[in-house]
mmCIF file with all atom_site columns, all heavy atoms in Angstrom:
data_model
loop_
_atom_site.group_PDB
_atom_site.id
_atom_site.type_symbol
_atom_site.label_atom_id
_atom_site.label_alt_id
_atom_site.label_comp_id
_atom_site.label_asym_id
_atom_site.label_entity_id
_atom_site.label_seq_id
_atom_site.pdbx_PDB_ins_code
_atom_site.Cartn_x
_atom_site.Cartn_y
_atom_site.Cartn_z
_atom_site.occupancy
_atom_site.B_iso_or_equiv
_atom_site.pdbx_formal_charge
_atom_site.auth_seq_id
_atom_site.auth_comp_id
_atom_site.auth_asym_id
_atom_site.auth_atom_id
_atom_site.pdbx_PDB_model_num
ATOM 1  N N   . LEU A 1 188 ? 90.145 128.300 89.584 1.00 96.00 ? 188 LEU A N   1
ATOM 2  C CA  . LEU A 1 188 ? 89.012 128.393 88.662 1.00 96.00 ? 188 LEU A CA  1
ATOM 3  C C   . LEU A 1 188 ? 88.070 127.224 88.896 1.00 96.00 ? 188 LEU A C   1
ATOM 4  O O   . LEU A 1 188 ? 88.491 126.065 88.909 1.00 96.00 ? 188 LEU A O   1
ATOM 5  C CB  . LEU A 1 188 ? 89.490 128.409 87.215 1.00 96.00 ? 188 LEU A CB  1
ATOM 6  C CG  . LEU A 1 188 ? 88.393 128.580 86.147 1.00 96.00 ? 188 LEU A CG  1
ATOM 7  C CD1 . LEU A 1 188 ? 88.899 129.429 84.986 1.00 96.00 ? 188 LEU A CD1 1
ATOM 8  C CD2 . LEU A 1 188 ? 87.904 127.223 85.611 1.00 96.00 ? 188 LEU A CD2 1
ATOM 9  N N   . LEU A 1 189 ? 86.790 127.538 89.061 1.00 98.00 ? 189 LEU A N   1
ATOM 10 C CA  . LEU A 1 189 ? 85.745 126.537 89.271 1.00 98.00 ? 189 LEU A CA  1
ATOM 11 C C   . LEU A 1 189 ? 84.721 126.636 88.153 1.00 98.00 ? 189 LEU A C   1
ATOM 12 O O   . LEU A 1 189 ? 84.242 127.728 87.831 1.00 98.00 ? 189 LEU A O   1
ATOM 13 C CB  . LEU A 1 189 ? 85.051 126.782 90.621 1.00 98.00 ? 189 LEU A CB  1
ATOM 14 C CG  . LEU A 1 189 ? 83.802 125.937 90.915 1.00 98.00 ? 189 LEU A CG  1
ATOM 15 C CD1 . LEU A 1 189 ? 84.196 124.490 91.222 1.00 98.00 ? 189 LEU A CD1 1
ATOM 16 C CD2 . LEU A 1 189 ? 83.014 126.544 92.086 1.00 98.00 ? 189 LEU A CD2 1
ATOM 17 N N   . THR A 1 190 ? 84.357 125.491 87.580 1.00 98.00 ? 190 THR A N   1
ATOM 18 C CA  . THR A 1 190 ? 83.312 125.501 86.557 1.00 98.00 ? 190 THR A CA  1
ATOM 19 C C   . THR A 1 190 ? 82.585 124.161 86.517 1.00 98.00 ? 190 THR A C   1
ATOM 20 O O   . THR A 1 190 ? 83.148 123.124 86.882 1.00 98.00 ? 190 THR A O   1
ATOM 21 C CB  . THR A 1 190 ? 83.890 125.817 85.164 1.00 98.00 ? 190 THR A CB  1
ATOM 22 O OG1 . THR A 1 190 ? 82.819 125.885 84.207 1.00 98.00 ? 190 THR A OG1 1
ATOM 23 C CG2 . THR A 1 190 ? 84.887 124.756 84.712 1.00 98.00 ? 190 THR A CG2 1
ATOM 24 N N   . ASP A 1 191 ? 81.337 124.222 86.076 1.00 98.00 ? 191 ASP A N   1
ATOM 25 C CA  . ASP A 1 191 ? 80.581 123.009 85.783 1.00 98.00 ? 191 ASP A CA  1
ATOM 26 C C   . ASP A 1 191 ? 80.394 122.857 84.281 1.00 98.00 ? 191 ASP A C   1
ATOM 27 O O   . ASP A 1 191 ? 79.559 122.076 83.829 1.00 98.00 ? 191 ASP A O   1
ATOM 28 C CB  . ASP A 1 191 ? 79.224 123.025 86.496 1.00 98.00 ? 191 ASP A CB  1
ATOM 29 C CG  . ASP A 1 191 ? 78.330 124.170 86.043 1.00 98.00 ? 191 ASP A CG  1
ATOM 30 O OD1 . ASP A 1 191 ? 78.794 125.041 85.272 1.00 98.00 ? 191 ASP A OD1 1
ATOM 31 O OD2 . ASP A 1 191 ? 77.150 124.208 86.464 1.00 98.00 ? 191 ASP A OD2 1
ATOM 32 N N   . GLY A 1 192 ? 81.166 123.614 83.518 1.00 97.00 ? 192 GLY A N   1
ATOM 33 C CA  . GLY A 1 192 ? 81.057 123.610 82.074 1.00 97.00 ? 192 GLY A CA  1
ATOM 34 C C   . GLY A 1 192 ? 80.202 124.740 81.560 1.00 97.00 ? 192 GLY A C   1
ATOM 35 O O   . GLY A 1 192 ? 80.228 125.057 80.367 1.00 97.00 ? 192 GLY A O   1
ATOM 36 N N   . SER A 1 193 ? 79.455 125.373 82.455 1.00 97.00 ? 193 SER A N   1
ATOM 37 C CA  . SER A 1 193 ? 78.600 126.497 82.083 1.00 97.00 ? 193 SER A CA  1
ATOM 38 C C   . SER A 1 193 ? 79.007 127.733 82.884 1.00 97.00 ? 193 SER A C   1
ATOM 39 O O   . SER A 1 193 ? 79.622 128.650 82.368 1.00 97.00 ? 193 SER A O   1
ATOM 40 C CB  . SER A 1 193 ? 77.130 126.144 82.332 1.00 97.00 ? 193 SER A CB  1
ATOM 41 O OG  . SER A 1 193 ? 76.291 127.231 82.027 1.00 97.00 ? 193 SER A OG  1
ATOM 42 N N   . ALA A 1 194 ? 78.665 127.733 84.168 1.00 97.00 ? 194 ALA A N   1
ATOM 43 C CA  . ALA A 1 194 ? 79.077 128.839 85.037 1.00 97.00 ? 194 ALA A CA  1
ATOM 44 C C   . ALA A 1 194 ? 80.564 128.735 85.332 1.00 97.00 ? 194 ALA A C   1
ATOM 45 O O   . ALA A 1 194 ? 81.103 127.643 85.484 1.00 97.00 ? 194 ALA A O   1
ATOM 46 C CB  . ALA A 1 194 ? 78.277 128.797 86.333 1.00 97.00 ? 194 ALA A CB  1
#
Side-chain angles (χ1 to χ4, degrees):
L188 183 144
L189 172 73
T190 183
D191 62 353
S193 178

